[in-house]
């Protein structure tokens, strides 16, 4: 009986993540899922307001709101999908939506959860992610000795 | 790769700026011209590398020119007050009305909901809606307005980010529809007007609102048809029915009810403005019409001034004003003449080949940097070449502005691409696959238009 954690920064390429979970998880294993909820997209905001375009604040915040809404919807949909997968494969599931500014709490949980392995889906798309926050977790994980499978939008990093 | 190139350009710009300031003037170039060239190189590198926001770089250029004694303070500042700037100002206020009253999204809902229940027809609906709206309002505003609608379609069809091919097509079609439509009029992309503003400052020649459309329309028209054919013949559409999303769109469209009073007033004002642009531009300058239209929509309470301010990013005015000032300094100090004699007259290129290469270079540059910046940096150089080859400056203006608008590949080229990319439904490699094809076809259409259509309507290659 093993204990895994799946951290989701990206909700792209989830079919491949599912495939990876099916390959690794066995009956009675435990999977902790921590779905990070995006609250703002700083790079997109700067890009549209001064780097490449001159969109007004209202227009940019409308676009940003749409991006965040779809991101959060995708997170909730995927957690529901994982629930069905857990029932079908008979593994224990503990899922939580976490705010992106709760990186410290996440690190603490990773430290104390006695995990056997961690899976993370990051994003390469700086317009639908907060790369600074992702980088913080990425660098911290590098320093830990925890076995980890890192994905970028569903594609496994070499 | 692009990141390193930008880093190198940033430092190269600074280094060349200092070298040009301290070294003796080049043969044939006066000291003021050399300093103007130094400012141009610095501003160019900052625009390309985004060291500072585009508008702040423009301010730097405006400040450096009198500081380095290139032009007098009064004259430098007076160059800022061009007709192009005031047209853009008025057009942006008008566009804020379309955005804030919801008339723009009402139009979008209406047109898309007519497109039928097949996936292909829905794509056509988005493509033509995006292109049509980009004729009357800035392309980036159209993309922002269509974005939530297209997201809603994607969600209602349960399309998964990066997995659904149809999802990719939806967002790419939205972005490219606005990009293609945006080159047709002055309203779609203010860079068109910036180009005409530079033409006017350099040669005293202007291009009217209708005249621009007369020159530009074949390029977007043919590109739209080609893109529609590409979707029909080659796109891998992985869903069979879009009726569920169409029902939602129709319901949303109906839920909006009848036109509000503000929308009705806006339609009347826009009708008057467009009529004046098309038929009265000899009597009333298009910039004055744009300003009066802006005044009317606030006076008749279509939108409040606060709403205008929420929509308009005044940085755009600084960017365009700065571009005109910096580019004008090159003409005023004889840099363009010097470059014409020193470089372009030495090149042994057939003039038409030069025009074609210029268009290709602009359309490549515009993928990596803002299309406003690419027009602002290339057009002054192109005018130098116009003098060396005796080329028609109107043709060069069109070549740079139209090519500068056709950014299909990267999100950093133009806001519609960035907005579509922020959906998370596709990766850059997806945009590269079809965008490159569209780009090459765009070049071919451009050659045909420049070679055959423009001479046919009296726009000669040489003067």
């Amino acid at each position: 009986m093993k204990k895994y954690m799946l951290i989701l920064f990206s909700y792209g390429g989830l079919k491949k993540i599912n495939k990876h979970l099916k390959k690794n998880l066995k009956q009675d294993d435990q999977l902790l899922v921590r779905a990070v909820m995006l609250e703002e997209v700083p790079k997109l905001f700067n890009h549209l307001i001064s780097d490449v375009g001159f969109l007004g604040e209202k227009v940019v915040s409308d676009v940003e709101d749409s991006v965040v809404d779809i991101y959060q919807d995708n997170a909730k949909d995927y957690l529901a999908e994982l629930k069905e997968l857990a029932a079908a494969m008979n593994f224990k599931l503990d899922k939580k939506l976490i705010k992106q500014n709760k990186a410290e709490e996440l690190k603490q949980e990773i430290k104390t959860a006695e995990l056997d392995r961690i899976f993370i889906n990051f994003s390469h798309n700086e317009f639908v992610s907060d790369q600074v926050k992702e980088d913080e977790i990425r660098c911290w994980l590098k320093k830990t000795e925890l076995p980890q499978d890192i994905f970028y939008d569903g594609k496994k990093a070499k | 790769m692009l990141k390193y190139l930008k880093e190198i350009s940033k430092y190269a710009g600074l280094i060349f700026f200092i070298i040009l300031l301290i070294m003796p003037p080049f043969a044939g170039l006066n000291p003021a011209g050399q300093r103007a060239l130094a400012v141009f190189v610095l501003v160019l590198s900052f625009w390309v590398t985004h060291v500072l926001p585009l508008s702040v770089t423009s301010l730097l250029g405006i400040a450096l020119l009198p500081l380095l004694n290139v032009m007098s303070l009064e004259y430098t500042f007076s160059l800022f007050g061009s007709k192009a700037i005031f047209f853009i100002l008025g057009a942006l206020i008008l566009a804020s009305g379309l955005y804030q009253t919801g008339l723009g999204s009402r139009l979008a809902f209406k047109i898309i909901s007519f497109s039928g229940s097949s996936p292909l027809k829905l794509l056509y609906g988005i493509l033509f809606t995006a292109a049509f709206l980009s004729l009357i309002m800035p392309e980036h505003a159209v993309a922002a307005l269509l974005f939530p609608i297209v997201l809603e379609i994607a969600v209602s069809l349960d399309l998964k980010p990066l997995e659904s091919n149809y999802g990719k097509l939806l967002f790419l079609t939205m972005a490219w529809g606005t990009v293609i439509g945006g080159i047709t009029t002055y309203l779609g992309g203010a860079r068109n007007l910036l180009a005409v503003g530079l033409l006017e400052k350099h040669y005293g020649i202007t291009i009217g609102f209708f005249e621009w459309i007369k020159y530009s329309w074949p390029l977007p028209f043919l590109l739209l048809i080609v893109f529609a054919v590409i979707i029909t013949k080659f796109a891998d559409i992985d869903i069979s029915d879009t009726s569920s999303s169409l029902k939602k769109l129709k319901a949303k469209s109906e839920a909006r009810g009848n036109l509000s009073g503000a929308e009705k007033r806006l339609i009347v004002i826009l009708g008057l403005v467009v009529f004046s642009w098309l038929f009265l531009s000899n009597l009333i300058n298009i910039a004055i019409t744009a300003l009066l239209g802006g005044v009317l929509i606030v006076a008749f309470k279509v939108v409040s001034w606060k709403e205008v301010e929420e929509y308009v990013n005044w940085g755009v005015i600084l960017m365009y004003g700065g571009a005109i000032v910096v580019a004008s300094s090159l003409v005023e100090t004889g840099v363009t003449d010097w470059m014409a004699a020193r470089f372009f007259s030495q090149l042994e290129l057939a003039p038409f080949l030069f025009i074609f290469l210029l268009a290709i270079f602009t359309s490549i540059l515009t993928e990596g940097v803002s299309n406003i910046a690419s027009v602002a940096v290339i057009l002054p150089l192109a005018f130098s070449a116009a003098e060396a080859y005796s080329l028609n400056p109107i043709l060069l203006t069109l070549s740079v502005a139209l090519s500068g608008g056709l950014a299909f590949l990267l999100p950093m080229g133009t806001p519609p691409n960035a907005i579509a990319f922020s959906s998370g439904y596709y990766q850059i490699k997806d945009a590269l696959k079809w965008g490159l094809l569209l780009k090459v076809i765009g070049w071919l259409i451009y050659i045909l238009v420049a070679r055959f259509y423009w001479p046919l309507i009296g726009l000669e290659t040489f003067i």
Side-chain angles (χ1 to χ4, degrees):
Chain A
M1 202 174 72
K2 291 190 171 176
K3 194 173 181 184
Y4 299 96
M5 182 183 276
L6 168 65
I7 304 174
L8 295 159
F9 281 97
S10 161
Y11 298 90
L14 294 172
K15 256 188 200 166
K16 288 174 189 159
I17 300 291
N18 281 350
K19 209 170 157 188
H20 192 73
L21 292 178
K22 284 177 190 167
K23 200 171 125 191
N24 283 274
L25 284 150
K26 306 277 180 298
Q27 192 173 343
D28 294 328
D29 280 350
Q30 189 179 2
L31 178 68
L32 312 179
V33 181
R34 300 297 173 254
V36 179
M37 298 295 273
L38 190 73
E39 279 152 11
E40 54 179 13
V41 204
K43 178 69 189 171
L44 177 70
F45 199 92
N46 290 338
H47 195 71
L48 293 178
I49 219 151
S50 67
D51 287 352
V52 71
F54 294 97
L55 278 69
E57 272 198 38
K58 168 86 170 75
V59 186
V60 178
S61 68
D62 285 352
V63 172
E64 196 182 24
D65 287 349
S66 298
V67 172
V68 170
D69 284 351
I70 185 83
Y71 185 96
Q72 297 192 350
D73 285 351
N74 281 332
K76 287 169 192 160
D77 285 354
Y78 185 58
L79 289 186
E81 195 181 322
L82 276 180
K83 199 175 165 187
E84 288 171 20
L85 186 70
M89 288 182 64
N90 211 8
F91 63 78
K92 289 174 201 156
L93 181 70
D94 169 26
K95 56 188 171 64
K96 260 189 213 163
L97 293 167
I98 57 167
K99 290 188 176 172
Q100 63 180 159
N101 59 3
K102 300 284 182 191
E104 284 311 313
E105 284 175 28
L106 184 62
K107 285 180 201 168
Q108 201 54 40
E109 191 180 6
I110 294 169
K111 268 189 216 169
T112 55
E114 296 177 356
L115 300 168
D116 290 292
R117 196 168 198 87
I118 191 162
F119 315 126
I120 312 169
N121 197 24
F122 288 118
S123 178
H124 270 319
N125 185 338
E126 57 192 6
F127 294 155
V128 273
S129 62
D130 187 334
Q131 296 283 304
V132 176
K133 299 267 163 51
E134 289 190 24
D135 232 25
E136 187 185 334
I137 293 288
R138 194 170 19 237
C139 294
W140 181 80
L141 276 172
K142 261 187 196 165
K143 290 177 200 157
T144 69
E145 288 180 4
L146 189 62
Q148 45 197 272
D149 296 333
I150 294 179
F151 295 83
Y152 285 88
D153 298 315
K155 196 174 172 192
K156 196 168 177 189
K158 285 167 190 164
Chain B
M1 172 74 178
L2 200 67
K3 197 175 149 193
Y4 295 121
L5 209 65
K6 283 193 170 179
E7 275 301 296
I8 294 167
S9 310
K10 183 169 77 183
Y11 293 110
L14 264 173
I15 292 166
F16 278 117
F17 171 69
I18 295 166
I19 291 174
L20 284 168
L21 283 184
I22 55 177
M23 70 183 275
F26 290 114
L29 188 63
N30 61 52
Q34 177 120 339
R35 292 193 294 272
L37 188 62
V39 173
F40 178 69
V41 167
L42 182 75
V43 168
L44 179 152
S45 73
F46 280 16
W47 272 333
V48 170
T49 55
H50 301 163
V51 176
L52 297 170
L54 293 173
S55 47
V56 178
T57 299
S58 286
L59 289 180
L60 177 69
I62 296 172
L64 283 176
L65 289 169
L67 184 72
L68 295 173
N69 216 13
V70 175
M71 296 187 296
S72 73
L73 185 70
E74 284 76 16
Y75 186 67
T76 304
F77 289 173
S78 71
L79 287 170
F80 192 88
S82 97
K83 280 186 268 180
I85 299 296
F86 286 98
F87 178 90
I88 293 164
L89 190 67
L92 284 173
I93 297 174
L94 284 168
S96 75
L98 274 167
Y99 191 88
Q100 304 278 26
T101 59
L103 183 63
S105 53
R106 180 193 289 277
L107 268 173
F109 269 120
K110 263 277 181 283
I111 305 172
I112 296 174
S113 59
F114 275 128
S115 57
S117 60
S118 87
L120 198 56
K121 283 181 182 164
L122 184 59
L123 287 177
Y124 293 155
I126 292 168
L127 177 67
F128 291 109
T129 305
F132 169 73
L133 288 176
S134 300
L135 303 180
I136 54 171
M137 62 192 290
E139 60 189 26
H140 61 248
V142 177
L145 185 147
L146 286 176
F147 185 64
I149 300 175
V150 177
L151 266 180
E152 182 133 354
I153 294 172
V155 171
S156 64
L157 295 174
D158 200 24
L159 307 176
K160 300 291 179 203
L162 300 179
E163 286 167 6
S164 162
N165 218 25
Y166 192 67
K168 292 174 189 176
L169 284 168
L170 280 175
F171 288 97
L172 288 173
T173 302
M174 176 200 82
W176 293 346
T178 63
V179 167
I180 295 170
I183 62 171
T184 320
T185 70
Y186 285 158
L187 302 174
R191 71 187 161 271
N192 297 339
L193 208 74
L194 169 69
V196 176
L198 291 173
L199 176 76
E200 202 171 342
K201 285 273 179 219
H202 286 219
Y203 295 97
I205 304 169
T206 192
I207 303 176
F209 186 82
F210 182 67
E211 205 183 348
W212 178 274
I213 300 171
K214 194 175 78 183
Y215 294 134
S216 70
W217 75 267
L219 190 57
F221 178 73
L222 293 173
L223 259 177
L224 275 180
I225 291 176
V226 168
F227 186 44
V229 171
I230 289 174
I231 297 173
T232 315
K233 298 278 178 199
F234 306 107
D236 175 18
I237 295 176
D238 50 3
I239 61 165
S240 56
D241 183 37
T242 50
S243 49
S244 59
S245 70
L246 215 62
K247 265 184 212 157
K248 270 198 172 179
L249 287 182
K250 276 190 175 154
K252 281 221 162 189
S253 178
E254 281 160 16
R256 285 173 169 263
N258 295 328
L259 285 171
S260 67
E263 286 173 298
K264 284 178 190 164
R265 291 194 293 278
L266 180 60
I267 290 170
V268 173
I269 294 168
L270 281 178
L272 290 172
V273 166
V274 173
F275 180 82
S276 172
W277 280 340
L278 291 178
F279 304 110
L280 304 176
S281 58
N282 288 336
L283 295 171
I284 310 170
N285 185 280
I286 57 169
I288 294 176
T289 307
L291 285 179
L292 287 176
V295 170
L296 285 177
I297 70 160
V298 178
F300 284 94
K301 296 190 169 39
V302 173
V303 283
S304 67
W305 184 247
K306 187 174 174 285
E307 287 173 316
V308 171
E309 290 209 300
E310 281 172 353
Y311 171 85
V312 180
N313 180 340
W314 303 111
V316 68
I317 303 296
L318 302 179
M319 167 69 206
Y320 285 114
I324 288 177
V325 172
V326 172
S328 299
S329 73
L330 298 180
V331 183
E332 297 292 329
T333 55
V335 176
T336 47
D337 292 341
W338 173 77
M339 286 179 86
R342 183 80 179 78
F343 296 108
F344 293 111
S345 60
Q346 313 289 325
L347 288 174
E348 290 182 3
L349 278 177
F352 196 80
L353 180 62
F354 172 80
I355 296 169
F356 179 55
L357 291 177
L358 180 78
I360 289 185
F361 180 67
T362 312
S363 74
I364 290 171
L365 185 72
T366 202
E367 295 293 349
V369 303
S370 151
N371 49 37
I372 311 163
S374 48
V375 169
V377 299
I378 292 181
L379 204 52
L381 303 177
F383 287 151
S384 305
E387 282 152 34
Y389 288 116
S390 302
L391 288 167
N392 188 338
I394 297 179
L395 190 132
L396 284 181
T397 304
L398 288 165
S399 300
V400 172
L402 297 178
S403 313
L406 292 177
F408 294 118
L409 309 180
L410 304 173
M412 53 284 265
T414 183
N417 289 353
I419 292 172
F421 189 58
S422 72
S423 68
Y425 272 78
Y426 69 90
Q427 291 176 310
I428 289 180
K429 66 177 183 188
D430 299 311
L432 286 178
K433 194 170 98 183
W434 294 108
L436 267 175
L437 180 66
L438 215 51
K439 193 126 196 132
V440 173
I441 292 169
W443 290 338
L444 295 176
I445 296 174
Y446 163 77
I447 295 176
L448 294 175
V449 170
R451 193 79 186 87
F452 300 107
Y453 173 70
W454 286 341
L456 196 71
I457 57 166
L459 183 66
E460 296 300 334
T461 309
F462 299 100
I463 45 170

